């Protein structure tokens, strides 16, 4: 019996997080970009995870993923401890400080894709070292759509490789401050224009609770964030957004602008659920009908 | 020969501003909430200005308003100097520091409405002392729609009168930090819910370059800001937005939600032009066709 081939391959970090917000502290919870992204994508399409954990990784966390029907063939388990991250959020939750980072098994991670992952038409390279992102791109075979994410660290220490990866992707996503850091531009319009020149068809700028903007050479698409009554933990919101986007896009089978706009709505709404609780706690309780209901409510809010 | 009656009465401050941005410094330029608001409203409807200037007020500034067909019967000219404000914007233009404030003739300002202004169906009370806003509300006769604006100063020093004014208006507008200051709430949803309990049908929260949100008891409307390639001076953007909104709403003759959503789009787009230059310089060069063209472009950007 062969397993079903994945439609979407996601590569990224897996961490055990300790997170403090103004009202709560949670220790040793499931985190990491690929965990959030695969969870979000799993509502829409068959998704394969590429990442690494140590031999200390709890079975309970692994069960969380299998319960969401995420394909784990690309998950490596390596002798040693899992990557750990700890951070504290400031009063308004807009900013956070990293308290500690222990790379552990993540330090020597080299992503290797199972056979069917290489054929996946949709690929999302979460925030990992650009050299590793390039290594993944050497393994995939003619994907229809490649999204890459990054972070300020790589812009600061390996802009050369990052620029190479950007040149090979269909869509680049980054947040406002990363766009300013990379380009030195003061407006997002100007920053996006510069980034588009590096090769991607799309530049998606994330603005947290203020929504997101999708730039192409010809136009801009503006998307709000769903306004929440309360939220607990913004960790992984960008990964959840991107994962949901790629999941919905893979489910559509399309790559055109209209399909991308719709996929962004699904990604954004999935992320709005994710931040309501820590880790994957809210997403584990969610189903597609819940997402669809909020998408409908959201569209009403945006009617011009 | 009688002059045409105004459809919209706007009350607020008139100032001579000195403004420094990271790239430019401009001295003694036309400013003030009622100046920006009336200029924006003038594209849509016949607007009357209520404010005060000193005998030093330049004829050139008065001409700017008359060239925009703003009715100046409610403008008082009083022996003395005009209100002056000076401020400096920080690097990202998000924050500014006030360098000096000279109230001058504005200190003893008591708004008195000409006969036809009292009958205007639409009234916008710009950011002035809540006791003066109450004084205006005693003069108007059964308006269809009253918008009031305010600022952190009045929340801090006269919340009692401000609460009275809020209880008498149709729509309250304020920015994110003012909403948090007034209510102590952490999310805009929660802040708006509290403010709606004070009486207004609508609470409009301004988020600068991140758009705005309109709350009613039953729903929320989300509006983006038009993404600019460059802008020079954010001073008066909120007044321009609110003035354009009220102008467009007055022109529609309506007060329902759908009309308000459309009026918000017009107000927001008018404000996007205003910040491209200092003072009213860009608005003076603008016409209705220019606004309509950008509204159409903007709606494309928001299509879900």
């Amino acid at each position: 019996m062969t397993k079903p081939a994945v439609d979407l391959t996601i590569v990224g970090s897996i961490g055990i997080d300790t997170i403090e917000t103004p009202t709560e502290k949670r220790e040793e919870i499931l985190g990491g970009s690929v965990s959030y992204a695969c969870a979000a994508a799993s509502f829409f399409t068959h998704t394969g995870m590429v990442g690494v954990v140590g031999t200390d990784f709890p079975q309970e966390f692994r069960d969380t993923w299998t319960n969401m029907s995420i394909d784990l063939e690309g998950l490596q388990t390596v002798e040693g401890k899992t990557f750990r991250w700890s951070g504290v959020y400031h009063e308004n939750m807009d900013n956070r400080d990293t308290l500690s980072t222990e790379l552990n098994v993540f330090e020597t991670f080299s992503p290797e894709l199972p056979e069917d992952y290489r054929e996946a038409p949709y690929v999302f390279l979460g925030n990992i070292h650009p050299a590793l992102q390039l290594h993944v791109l050497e393994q995939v075979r003619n994907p229809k759509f490649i999204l890459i994410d990054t972070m300020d660290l790589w812009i600061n220490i390996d802009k050369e490789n990052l620029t190479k990866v950007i040149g090979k992707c269909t869509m680049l996503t980054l947040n406002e401050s990363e766009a300013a850091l990379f380009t030195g531009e003061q407006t997002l319009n100007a920053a996006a224009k510069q980034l588009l020149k590096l090769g991607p068809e799309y530049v998606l700028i994330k603005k947290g609770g203020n929504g997101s903007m999708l730039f192409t050479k010809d136009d801009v698409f503006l998307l709000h964030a769903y306004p929440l009554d309360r939220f607990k933990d913004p960790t992984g919101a960008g990964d959840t957004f991107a994962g949901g986007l790629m999941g919905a896009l893979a489910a559509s089978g399309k790559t055109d602008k209209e399909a991308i706009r719709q996929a962004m709505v699904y990604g954004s709404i999935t992320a709005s659920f994710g931040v309501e609780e820590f880790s994957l706690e809210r997403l584990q309780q969610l189903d597609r009908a819940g997402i669809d209901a909020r998408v409908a409510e959201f569209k009403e809010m945006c009617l011009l």
Side-chain angles (χ1 to χ4, degrees), chain A:
Chain A
M1 191 182 83
T2 54
K3 63 158 199 167
V6 304
D7 298 312
L8 167 62
T9 297
I10 307 185
V11 186
S13 63
I14 297 163
I16 298 181
D17 294 347
T18 294
I19 294 170
E20 210 178 324
T21 69
T23 55
E24 208 167 342
K25 182 175 178 179
R26 298 288 298 275
E27 300 192 30
E28 301 264 311
I29 57 177
L30 178 57
S33 60
V34 79
S35 175
Y36 283 107
C38 286
S42 73
F43 292 103
F44 308 100
T45 203
H46 189 48
T47 307
M49 176 187 289
V50 180
V52 65
V53 297
T55 39
D56 64 341
F57 194 70
Q59 182 61 40
E60 175 206 342
F61 291 170
R62 221 178 275 260
D63 293 343
T64 299
W65 293 330
T66 45
N67 288 338
M68 299 182 97
S69 305
I70 298 165
D71 187 300
L72 300 182
E73 198 189 341
L75 177 65
Q76 304 169 24
T77 307
V78 168
E79 189 66 46
K81 288 184 72 182
T82 304
F83 172 52
R84 272 168 176 75
W85 176 80
S86 144
V88 57
Y89 285 91
H90 301 180
E91 194 51 51
N92 60 7
M93 300 272 233
D94 279 348
N95 297 303
R96 71 181 184 198
D97 288 325
T98 291
L99 297 180
S100 71
T101 303
E102 291 172 42
L103 289 176
N104 300 327
V105 298
F106 192 56
E107 190 160 11
T108 54
F109 176 48
S110 178
E112 302 303 329
L113 274 52
E115 194 56 30
D116 65 313
Y117 286 43
R118 295 173 190 234
E119 303 284 352
Y122 298 83
V123 177
F124 171 30
L125 303 179
N127 164 35
I128 51 172
H129 195 297
L132 296 185
Q133 293 179 321
L134 283 173
H135 181 62
V136 174
L137 292 183
E138 285 160 7
Q139 298 172 58
V140 297
R141 300 191 190 114
N142 202 26
K144 283 163 74 170
F145 198 98
I146 303 169
L147 169 65
I148 76 140
D149 192 8
T150 191
M151 75 184 290
D152 50 359
L153 177 66
W154 315 125
I155 299 171
N156 284 321
I157 72 170
D158 195 3
K159 200 169 177 177
E160 196 185 324
N161 269 320
L162 179 55
T163 303
K164 276 189 206 165
V165 187
I166 295 172
K168 292 173 189 289
C169 73
T170 326
M171 182 190 289
L172 165 68
T173 180
L174 69 189
N175 66 32
E176 286 178 282
S177 61
E178 289 157 359
L181 175 68
F182 194 107
T183 63
E185 297 284 359
Q186 287 202 334
T187 68
L188 298 178
N189 283 17
K193 207 165 282 185
Q194 214 188 106
L195 291 164
L196 284 167
K197 285 192 185 137
L198 300 178
E201 271 180 73
Y202 300 95
V203 170
L204 171 60
I205 297 184
K206 294 171 286 187
K207 306 196 297 172
N210 290 313
S212 55
M213 301 172 76
L214 180 72
F215 291 90
T216 70
K217 283 199 177 66
D218 306 316
D219 58 14
V220 187
F221 170 55
L222 307 173
L223 183 66
H224 295 285
Y226 177 84
L228 288 164
D229 288 324
R230 54 170 196 87
F231 65 100
K232 283 199 174 173
D233 177 19
T235 309
D239 304 308
T240 310
F241 174 37
L245 187 173
M246 287 299 285
L249 194 63
S252 78
K254 299 178 184 166
T255 61
D256 62 289
K257 274 184 205 180
E258 172 52 26
I260 292 170
R261 286 186 178 203
Q262 294 309 316
M264 280 174 65
V265 172
Y266 278 97
S268 169
I269 292 301
T270 307
S272 77
F273 283 106
V275 299
E276 289 180 0
E277 300 291 343
F278 285 84
S279 189
L280 301 184
E281 289 166 13
R282 184 67 182 89
L283 296 185
Q284 283 176 264
Q285 306 300 324
L286 186 64
D287 60 16
R288 179 63 194 268
I291 295 173
D292 288 345
R294 189 175 281 184
V295 163
E297 187 200 353
F298 175 72
K299 288 189 172 181
E300 275 291 319
M301 293 179 179
C302 301
L303 270 188
L304 289 187

